[in-house]
């Protein structure tokens, strides 16, 4: 009995140890299963984000060409295992047949809302929906039409690529004879240019697609006429300036247009303000013998002038070179004064026969165009400081405005009679004085000309009459028929600028407002 009593506790302890071992093994197995499941989930996530390492999916391949239709179950091991049976393949084929029998086809909607056709939506009453209008006075449209226009607008803002289109018939290096014949027929059916220059798409003539945005200076309207508006090279910053002596900066987004800063100049009603093309400074001028340079980084003004050796009564009219080096100012007695933006000192002068009225840089700052009281246009070489050519501006007795296209191939000249002549500069330098186009849609003096960034739009402004703004489609040399906007009062326009990508157009008027428009053709601001 004593022996049995001594062995009883020992047997009980062994049972407890055995049960502990079983529980420990069970916990270990559960932990291993959990780790395996976590690894499986991680592999699924990796395949979802990055694709299979050993079976990469190429762009443009169809799902049927990819080995293993379920990307989450691709075996990433180097050694492939053969299936034990064909049950999985048979099950997949049965599933495919069942899906097809249910009538679901790729690309078709699985469900449609019949009430969409009965709903009418007023797209004119909501500001953000007005861009969907095809006509100015359009209001109610059906629900199905509303969805179609939303999809079309989304496709326009987010153009796809050929490899991403499910219905694309384009293949890389392999096309059938029929496809080639169709491509040839498509080319022969159009008279459009076969090669489009890189950097942007072609703008259509006739009607300009645009939408009105909140005023650029809605956060702080001016009490005086706006004399200058200009976008910074980053396309988000806009400066405005005028006779109220305030230089204002706004962050442009089309809705809020937040004011960033306002600077007051006590001794200088601002006649003109402009960014240097490199975006580092702002040149500010008025009817004074001097002008200012505002350093954007240090928020500091530098006074430039009076210039040594010169007795100009005013340096209010100037132009900045595309290379940000010289500033050309209108001087007295037909003189053009050149000032360095770096040293802030006089670097040279040019002399016209008549008075100087307007200046324009060309060819990245290597050339300067000028016009004035003698009705002639001068072309100067700033490297040699000599006049390359001068010729009479057709029909002009006094030049009042001048502008060169961004690539320097064209220039436009405005006169006191409301006529704008557009020239090819190469032909003008060769002695051909006949303009390629004469725009005579305005009847009063032309005060302002401006090409947009790709040279497809030319803006013309006359300050003498209300709504005296015209936009010219340069490739076709025709005026947009729907500009200025009908039934929209723009007041007396004074200045205008396009954003670096021409997505926005800002126009200052005589009542202190800067009207802002979005040009829908351009994707970038």
């Amino acid at each position: 009995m004593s022996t049995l009593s001594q062995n009883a506790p020992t047997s009980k302890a062994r049972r407890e140890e055995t049960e502990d071992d079983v529980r420990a093994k069970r916990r270990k197995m559960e932990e291993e299963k959990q780790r395996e499941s976590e690894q499986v989930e991680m592999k699924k996530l990796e395949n979802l984000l990055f694709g299979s390492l050993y079976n990469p999916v190429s762009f443009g391949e169809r799902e049927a060409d990819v080995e293993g239709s379920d990307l989450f179950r691709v075996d990433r091991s180097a050694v492939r295992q053969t299936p034990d049976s064909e049950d999985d393949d048979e099950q997949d084929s049965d599933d495919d047949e069942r899906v097809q029998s249910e009538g679901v086809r790729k690309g078709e909607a699985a469900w449609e809302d019949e009430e969409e056709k009965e709903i009418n939506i007023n797209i004119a009453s909501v500001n953000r929906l007005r861009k969907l209008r095809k006509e100015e006075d359009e209001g109610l449209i059906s629900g199905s039409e509303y969805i179609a226009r939303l999809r079309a607008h989304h496709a326009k803002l987010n153009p796809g690529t050929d490899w991403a289109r499910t219905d694309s018939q384009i293949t890389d290096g392999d096309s059938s004879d029929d496809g080639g014949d169709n491509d040839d027929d498509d080319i022969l059916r159009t008279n459009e240019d076969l090669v489009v220059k890189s950097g942007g798409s072609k703008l259509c003539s006739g009607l300009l697609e645009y939408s009105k945005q909140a005023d650029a200076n809605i956060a702080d309207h001016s009490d005086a006429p706006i004399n200058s508006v200009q976008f910074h090279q980053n396309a988000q910053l806009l400066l405005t300036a005028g006779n109220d002596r305030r230089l204002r900066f706004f962050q442009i987004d089309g809705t809020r247009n937040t004011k960033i800063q306002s600077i007051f100049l006590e001794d200088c009603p601002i006649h003109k303000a402009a960014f240097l093309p490199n975006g580092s400074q702002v040149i500010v001028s008025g009817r004074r013998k001097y002008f200012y340079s505002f350093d954007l980084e240090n928020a500091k003004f530098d006074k430039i002038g009076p210039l040594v050796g010169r007795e100009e009564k005013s340096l209010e009219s100037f132009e900045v070179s595309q290379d940000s080096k010289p500033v050309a100012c209108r001087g007295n007695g037909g003189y053009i004064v050149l000032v360095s933006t770096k040293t802030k000192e006089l670097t040279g002068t040019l002399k016209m026969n008549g008075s100087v009225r307007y200046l324009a840089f060309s060819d990245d700052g290597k050339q300067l165009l000028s016009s004035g009281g003698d009705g002639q246009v001068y072309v100067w070489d700033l490297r040699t400081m000599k006049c390359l050519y001068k010729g009479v501006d057709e029909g002009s007795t006094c030049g009042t405005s001048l502008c060169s296209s961004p690539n320097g191939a064209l220039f436009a000249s405005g006169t006191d009679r409301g006529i704008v002549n557009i020239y090819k500069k190469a032909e003008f330098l060769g002695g051909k004085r006949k303009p390629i186009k004469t725009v005579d849609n305005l009847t009063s003096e032309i005060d302002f000309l401006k090409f947009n960034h790709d040279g497809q739009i030319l803006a013309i402004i006359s300050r003498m009459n209300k709504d005296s703004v015209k936009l010219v489609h340069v490739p076709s040399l025709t005026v947009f028929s729907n500009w200025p906007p009908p039934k929209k009062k723009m007041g007396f326009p004074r200045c205008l600028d396009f954003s670096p990508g021409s997505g926005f157009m800002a126009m200052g008027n005589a009542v202190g407002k800067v009207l802002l428009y979005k040009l829908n053709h351009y994707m970038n601001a």
Side-chain angles (χ1 to χ4, degrees):
M1 292 294 294
S2 60
T3 303
L4 293 174
S5 61
Q6 291 177 358
N7 292 336
T10 304
S11 301
K12 184 177 181 180
R14 287 177 180 176
R15 286 197 300 271
E16 291 178 354
E17 291 178 358
T18 304
E19 292 177 358
D20 292 339
D21 292 341
V22 172
R23 284 195 294 268
K25 291 180 180 179
R26 189 175 300 168
R27 283 196 302 269
K28 187 175 181 180
M29 292 176 63
E30 291 177 354
E31 291 176 355
E32 289 179 355
K33 289 182 180 180
Q34 184 175 0
R35 282 197 297 268
E36 289 177 358
S37 62
E38 290 177 355
Q39 290 179 359
V40 171
E41 292 298 328
M42 290 297 296
K43 289 179 181 180
K44 289 182 179 181
L45 182 60
E46 289 177 3
N47 288 333
L48 176 63
L49 296 176
F50 309 110
S52 175
L53 183 63
Y54 296 96
N55 294 295
V57 179
S58 300
F59 290 130
E61 288 186 357
R62 293 174 295 180
E63 294 182 0
D65 300 331
V66 181
E67 185 176 353
S69 60
D70 189 353
L71 294 179
F72 294 153
R73 297 172 60 185
V74 173
D75 186 5
R76 298 181 59 184
S77 63
V79 180
R80 299 181 180 273
Q81 298 179 355
T82 58
D84 296 334
S85 63
E86 298 181 354
D87 294 338
D88 295 338
D89 296 337
E90 294 177 359
Q91 183 177 358
D92 292 341
S93 62
D94 293 341
D95 293 341
D96 294 340
E97 292 177 0
R98 185 178 69 255
V99 170
Q100 292 181 2
S101 64
E102 292 175 357
V104 178
R105 295 294 183 268
K106 188 175 182 179
E108 294 183 358
W111 175 79
E112 292 183 358
D113 188 358
E114 297 180 355
E115 295 181 357
E116 290 179 354
K117 300 179 181 179
E118 302 176 359
I119 298 176
N120 291 326
I121 299 173
N122 190 347
I123 58 176
S125 61
V126 183
N127 291 336
R128 62 187 179 86
L129 298 183
R130 292 178 181 175
K131 57 180 175 286
L132 301 179
R133 293 181 297 177
K134 294 183 178 180
E135 297 179 0
E136 187 70 22
D137 56 350
E138 188 174 20
L140 291 176
I141 60 173
S142 64
S144 57
E145 177 66 16
Y146 172 69
I147 293 176
R149 294 191 186 184
L150 278 180
R151 289 176 176 171
H153 185 69
H154 180 271
K156 183 177 180 180
L157 296 180
N158 302 279
T161 53
D162 292 334
W163 59 263
R165 298 192 184 110
T166 57
D167 58 344
S168 175
Q169 301 299 325
I170 299 175
T171 58
D172 296 333
D174 185 15
S175 60
S176 63
D177 296 338
D178 295 338
D181 293 340
N182 291 336
D183 292 341
D184 294 340
D185 292 340
D186 292 339
I187 293 175
L188 296 175
R189 287 194 189 102
T190 178
N191 62 354
E192 294 291 331
D193 296 338
L194 298 182
V195 178
V196 178
K197 295 182 179 180
S198 61
S201 57
K202 294 175 64 175
L203 178 66
C204 296
S205 60
L207 298 177
L208 179 66
E209 294 185 8
Y210 65 90
S211 57
K212 179 69 172 68
Q213 308 292 303
D215 291 350
N217 63 344
I218 190 173
D220 187 9
H221 283 136
S222 175
D223 296 329
I226 301 293
N227 292 331
S228 290
V229 294
Q230 188 179 12
F231 284 91
H232 190 268
Q233 62 178 0
N234 66 6
Q236 296 181 351
L237 187 65
L238 176 75
L239 71 78
T240 67
N243 293 339
D244 62 353
R245 306 185 184 188
R246 289 192 177 274
L247 180 66
R248 296 176 174 89
F249 296 95
F250 298 89
Q251 183 178 357
I252 301 301
D253 58 10
T255 54
R256 297 177 59 186
N257 302 331
T258 308
K259 185 178 77 169
I260 298 177
Q261 191 176 13
S262 178
I263 303 172
F264 182 73
L265 279 70
E266 295 183 359
D267 60 343
C268 186
I270 301 175
H271 177 78
K272 184 172 183 178
F275 287 109
L276 291 187
N278 61 18
S280 62
Q281 302 176 40
V282 178
I283 305 299
V284 184
S285 70
R287 292 188 177 179
R288 300 289 187 269
K289 296 180 180 180
Y290 52 85
F291 58 92
Y292 289 99
S293 173
F294 179 65
D295 190 327
L296 290 175
E297 183 177 355
N298 301 318
K300 177 184 176 183
F301 275 101
D302 289 330
K303 186 177 180 180
I304 304 175
L307 302 176
V308 178
R310 301 296 305 173
E311 296 182 356
E312 265 67 35
K313 298 179 180 179
S314 174
L315 297 175
E316 63 188 81
S317 180
F318 69 89
E319 288 295 325
V320 180
S321 171
Q322 289 93 332
D323 59 7
S324 302
K325 293 180 180 179
V327 174
C329 302
R330 186 179 69 189
N332 298 335
Y335 277 95
I336 302 170
V337 181
L338 301 177
V339 180
S340 171
T341 58
K342 185 177 181 180
T343 64
K344 310 297 191 294
E345 295 179 355
L346 178 69
T347 59
T349 58
L350 304 171
K351 179 67 171 68
M352 289 175 53
N353 293 336
S355 61
V356 185
R357 292 293 301 272
Y358 222 92
L359 306 169
F361 281 94
S362 181
D363 285 0
D364 296 329
K366 297 175 183 177
Q367 294 182 0
L368 178 69
L369 282 69
S370 63
S371 64
D374 59 356
Q376 298 189 81
V377 176
Y378 294 71
V379 181
W380 305 88
D381 187 344
L382 296 181
R383 293 168 292 186
T384 61
M385 300 296 288
K386 293 182 179 180
C387 181
L388 294 177
Y389 184 80
K390 67 176 181 179
V392 176
D393 186 12
E394 186 177 83
S396 171
T397 57
C398 180
T400 57
S401 56
L402 201 61
C403 182
S404 176
S405 64
N407 61 3
L410 304 175
F411 72 88
S413 175
T415 70
D416 56 350
R417 298 182 178 181
I419 295 175
V420 176
N421 291 325
I422 303 176
Y423 294 91
K424 288 185 177 180
K425 191 176 69 174
E427 294 181 355
F428 186 80
L429 292 175
K432 183 180 179 180
R433 302 178 182 178
K434 187 75 174 176
I436 60 174
K437 177 65 177 180
T438 297
V439 182
D440 54 1
N441 296 73
L442 300 178
T443 58
S444 54
E445 178 178 315
I446 304 300
D447 299 289
F448 186 89
L449 296 170
K450 179 73 176 182
F451 282 96
N452 75 323
H453 84 287
D454 60 2
Q456 295 193 78
I457 302 176
L458 171 64
I460 305 173
I461 285 180
S462 175
R463 297 176 177 175
M464 300 298 294
N465 299 317
K466 286 185 177 181
D467 305 330
S468 294
V469 185
K470 290 295 181 181
L471 298 180
V472 178
H473 180 255
V474 177
S476 65
L477 298 175
T478 58
V479 177
F480 287 106
S481 59
N482 62 335
W483 192 271
K487 300 180 182 179
K488 299 290 184 180
K489 300 300 180 181
M490 306 174 70
F492 290 88
R494 295 188 60 82
C495 51
L496 181 146
D497 192 35
F498 298 94
S499 60
S502 298
F504 287 119
M505 181 178 69
M507 188 192 71
N509 61 21
V511 297
K513 292 185 178 182
V514 179
L515 308 180
L516 185 66
Y517 299 89
K518 184 180 183 300
L519 303 185
N520 298 333
H521 171 77
Y522 296 98
M523 297 293 102
N524 300 321

